[in-house]
Amino acid sequence: SFLHKFLLEAYLYLANPHFMQEVHCRIHDQLYSSRPQILVAHSLGSVIAYNYLIQHPELNIKRFITLGSPLAFRVIQAHLPQPIVRPAAITGDWINFYSTDDFLTAFPLTQPPFQFQPAIINHGIRTHIHRPHDITGYLLHPQVVEAILELLKNPA
């Protein structure tokens, strides 16, 4: 099932340092640049991105967009570096899109430990009813499209 696959992948990433390092090497090749970056991460990717950003405060992420993030779950938080803090690498907004239809991400990132300053901007949206966690439902939502394009149109 989808939930079983998600839990296996999350465990593989969070409990296997070799696997985590391989994933981080691939991220490193994409994020290191002298220019500010926009980082969009979906589902387990948002957990991986958060963990990577915590470990690399030298990055310049002008906007971090999380889509369908399971970061609200304590079982995920327990395997991340403590305390849970806003990554210093995020120099701009952190926008979190969640869907109450999506059983993995039905919650905004507003409860402790996510009461950061500046605050995470949470947007509850509707995704596809038949596949509520699928990335397509998030990427096709007008608010998500606008959040991605806004900085590309106005890079100041």
Side-chain angles (χ1 to χ4, degrees):
S1 75
F2 174 76
L3 186 56
H4 179 75
K5 182 180 176 187
F6 172 81
L7 291 173
L8 284 175
E9 290 175 354
Y11 178 78
L12 184 60
Y13 172 76
L14 295 169
N16 184 327
H18 178 70
F19 184 78
M20 183 185 290
Q21 184 60 33
E22 287 182 20
V23 171
H24 285 196
C25 284
R26 284 186 261 151
I27 295 170
H28 174 86
D29 293 342
Q30 298 301 313
L31 286 183
Y32 276 84
S33 169
S34 60
R35 299 181 329 185
Q37 303 287 319
I38 299 171
L39 179 57
V40 180
H42 173 255
S43 191
L44 179 58
S46 66
V47 175
I48 294 168
Y50 171 85
N51 193 28
Y52 188 82
L53 294 178
I54 285 293
Q55 297 176 35
H56 294 278
E58 71 279 4
L59 292 172
N60 183 6
I61 305 300
K62 292 305 263 184
R63 178 161 288 166
F64 182 37
I65 300 173
T66 49
L67 308 171
S69 176
L71 282 166
F73 293 108
R74 301 237 185 261
V75 67
I76 297 290
Q77 295 169 21
H79 293 283
L80 294 171
Q82 299 296 317
I84 302 289
V85 297
R86 181 184 168 97
I90 303 173
T91 59
D93 297 330
W94 177 347
I95 305 174
N96 178 58
F97 290 94
Y98 67 97
S99 173
T100 55
D101 300 321
D102 183 348
F103 61 93
L104 274 178
T105 66
F107 309 103
L109 299 177
T110 55
Q111 299 301 311
F114 296 104
Q115 295 175 322
F116 304 147
Q117 289 302 318
I120 298 171
I121 302 164
N122 286 279
H123 291 291
I125 62 171
R126 299 298 306 259
T127 54
H128 298 302
I129 192 75
H130 300 292
R131 297 186 71 183
H133 189 67
D134 192 81
I135 191 171
T136 306
Y138 286 93
L139 288 177
L140 292 177
H141 195 279
Q143 287 181 314
V144 174
V145 172
E146 180 58 32
I148 294 170
L149 293 179
E150 180 183 22
L151 287 182
L152 296 175
K153 293 188 286 188
N154 304 309

